[in-house]
Amino acid sequence: MKDQSGRQKRKRTGGRRRTFRNKKRHQLGREPAETTVGEPRFQVVASRGTGQKVRALSTNVAQVTEGGDTTEAEIEDVVENPANVNYVRRNIITKGAVIETSAGTARVTSRPGQTGQVNAVVVDE
């Protein structure tokens, strides 16, 4: 487990390290995007340096890959989400979530809250 400065919480001997300062501005996190299934809505967020991140607040389109060829499919439902059991009920898509699409059941391989798009691979069940 790491503390806010990015260092280990415990020493090699097993003793705890004390936190020596508060977080700096660049170490602060943001609220999770929690991408839902619905009409596409995006938000552009400034990231460190000159970069930008596109957050998908909601989307209903996924790039689904099956056997080497990729097609655009409509997202119908979230079937399973290992990140949080309550995300299935709320239809929230994160990396690793299993979604029901028009191309079949697929597992999400991208991070929609970071990249703004849903990439998925068809799973055989």
Side-chain angles (χ1 to χ4, degrees):
M1 183 85 186
K2 290 189 173 187
D3 67 356
Q4 62 207 15
S5 62
R7 298 187 328 170
Q8 291 292 322
K9 272 198 172 173
R10 295 197 175 266
K11 303 177 190 175
R12 222 174 355 159
T13 58
R16 280 183 72 88
R17 284 192 198 271
R18 304 282 304 184
T19 54
F20 67 99
R21 65 166 184 230
N22 292 332
K23 284 188 182 180
K24 297 206 167 187
R25 188 174 177 275
H26 69 269
Q27 293 174 325
L28 291 171
R30 289 193 174 103
E31 291 294 312
E34 294 191 337
T35 307
T36 56
V37 178
E39 196 60 37
R41 289 189 309 124
F42 301 95
Q43 180 182 36
V44 178
V45 176
S47 62
R48 196 133 188 237
T50 58
Q52 289 183 327
K53 289 182 182 182
V54 179
R55 302 234 153 139
L57 302 178
S58 65
T59 185
N60 57 4
V61 176
Q63 309 298 323
V64 180
T65 304
E66 183 177 16
D69 53 313
T70 305
T71 56
E72 198 169 272
E74 184 121 349
I75 301 171
E76 293 159 10
D77 197 24
V78 177
V79 179
E80 178 191 335
N81 197 326
N84 190 330
V85 291
N86 297 315
Y87 281 1
V88 176
R89 210 177 307 182
R90 293 163 57 195
N91 267 353
I92 292 176
I93 306 166
T94 58
K95 182 176 178 175
V98 179
I99 56 175
E100 189 62 50
T101 67
S102 54
T105 307
R107 171 167 273 113
V108 180
T109 58
S110 65
R111 298 174 69 192
Q114 304 280 335
T115 61
Q117 58 187 0
V118 177
N119 299 332
V121 178
V122 173
V123 291
D124 302 318
E125 293 186 54

